[in-house]
Amino acid sequence: MIPVLFGRVAIIGAGLIGSSIARAVRERHLAGTLVVADRDAAVCARVRELGFADEVTQSAAEAAREADVVIVCVPVGGAGAVAAEVGPVLKPGAILSDVGSVKGAVLEAMAPHVPAHAHLVPAHPVAGTEFSGPDAGFASLFENRWCIVTPPDGVDGEAVTRLCDLWRAMGANVEVMSAKRHDLVLAITSHLPHLIAYNIVGTAADLEDSLASEVIKFSAGGFRDFTRIAASDPTMWRDVFLQNREAVLEMLGRFTEDLTALQRAIRYGDGEALFDQFTRTRAIRRSIIEMGQETAAPDFGRRAAEKPKHEQS
Ligand code: NAP
C-alpha cells in the first residue's frame, strides 16, 4: 500500500476533478484526513451522501485551515477569489495548488494571496470528461494520464516534489514545465479542439430544421465526436478562453491560415496537397497510439456496448 503522503488534504470545489481527486486520495489512503469544501449547500449534501470525504464544509477557509495541501478545483475564473479566501489561513509549510486548465493567468491570480510561509505549486491533470459535479468523478480518472506541474520561479523544491508525489500516487505521469509553455501546448491540444467543436456543432444547430434533423440522424460520420466535446461545461470553457486569450489567438491564427490553404487546395482541385496533408496527420495519430495516449481500436462505428461512460477529454 502507498503510505499516507499528507496529514490533512483539502479539496476546494467538489466537481468532476475535485471529487475524482478526493476519491483517488481516499481509495489509495494518501491522506490522514480528507476535507472537501464546496460553496453550494446541495453539493455538500451530495458529497456527504457519496461518502468520499472525512469532513465536508461550505467554507473554503475552514477546509484550508491546518491543511498540509489545499487543491483548488474550481473554474479558472474563480481561482483568484478562492486563493484570497484561503491564503490568510494557510499554515506554515502548506502547499496551495490547483487543477486549472490554464496556468499563466491562474498563477497571476493566486500568487498575490499566498503568504511567504506557504508554497504555491499549480498543476493541471490532463484528464477529464464532458460531465460535471460530484457524481461525475471517479478514482481512476488520472491513471496513466499526464499531470503537468508548473512551479513558479523560486518556489520551494521540496514542495514541488511532494505535490508531484501526490499526483504519481494517484496514478498520473508527471511532467514539470513553465506556465507559459503549458498554455501554448494546451492551446493547440485542448483549447482549440474545443473551440472547433463548439463552432461546428453551433453551425449545425443553425441549419434549417429539415437538414438539422438529418445531421443528428447521420451523426456517426464524425460529427458525433464533436458533439461529445461540445457538451463540455460552459462555465469552465468560457473561463479557459478568457484566461488563455493570447495563446489561443496565436494558435487560432495558425489554424485559420492552414484551413485557408486546405480551402484553396479544394477550390483548385489540388489533390496532391490534400493527400500530403492527410498522410502527415495520419502519422501523428499513429505516434499518439505508440505513446500509449490512445488505443488503436477502431472507433468511428463506436465500440458501442463496451464504450466506457467516462472518456478522456
Ligand atoms: P465542475 O465539475 O463544474 O466543478 C466545479 C466546482 O467548482 C463546482 O462545485 C462549483 O460549484 C465550484 N465553483 C464554481 N465556481 C466557483 C467559484 N467562483 N468559487 C468557488 N467555487 C466555484 O468543474 P470541473 O470539471 O471539476 O473543473 C474544475 C477545474 O478543473 C477547472 O479549473 C478546469 O479548468 C479544470 N479541469 C477540468 C477538466 C475537465 O475535463 N472537466 C480537466 C482538467 C482540468 P457551483 O456548483 O456552485 O458552481
Side-chain angles (χ1 to χ4, degrees), residues 75-94:
V76 288
V82 174
E85 202 182 331
V86 302
V89 304
L90 289 175
K91 72 176 189 182

Side-chain angles (χ1 to χ4, degrees), residues 119-139:
H119 314 293
L120 177 61
V121 188
H124 173 210
V126 188
T129 76
E130 67 276 32
F131 299 103
S132 310
D135 285 276
F138 52 106

Side-chain angles (χ1 to χ4, degrees), residues 15-17 38-39 73-76 99-101 124-125 127-129 132-133 236:
L16 167 73
I17 301 296
D38 198 287
R39 64 180 182 178
C73 303
V74 307
V76 288
V99 293
S101 308
H124 173 210
T129 76
S132 310
M236 169 187 159

Side-chain angles (χ1 to χ4, degrees), residues 130-194:
E130 67 276 32
F131 299 103
S132 310
D135 285 276
F138 52 106
S140 60
L141 176 62
F142 311 112
E143 276 172 21
N144 204 26
R145 300 297 180 199
W146 285 106
C147 179
I148 303 175
V149 177
T150 60
D153 289 343
V155 72
D156 178 64
E158 200 191 320
V160 178
T161 305
R162 293 194 74 203
L163 190 82
C164 292
D165 286 346
L166 178 62
W167 279 104
R168 284 196 193 93
M170 288 192 280
N173 303 315
V174 174
E175 180 99 2
V176 176
M177 68 172 74
S178 72
K180 191 166 186 213
R181 192 168 182 81
H182 166 279
D183 287 354
L184 268 178
V185 171
L186 270 291
I188 189 68
T189 57
S190 172
H191 306 169
L192 202 53
H194 275 80

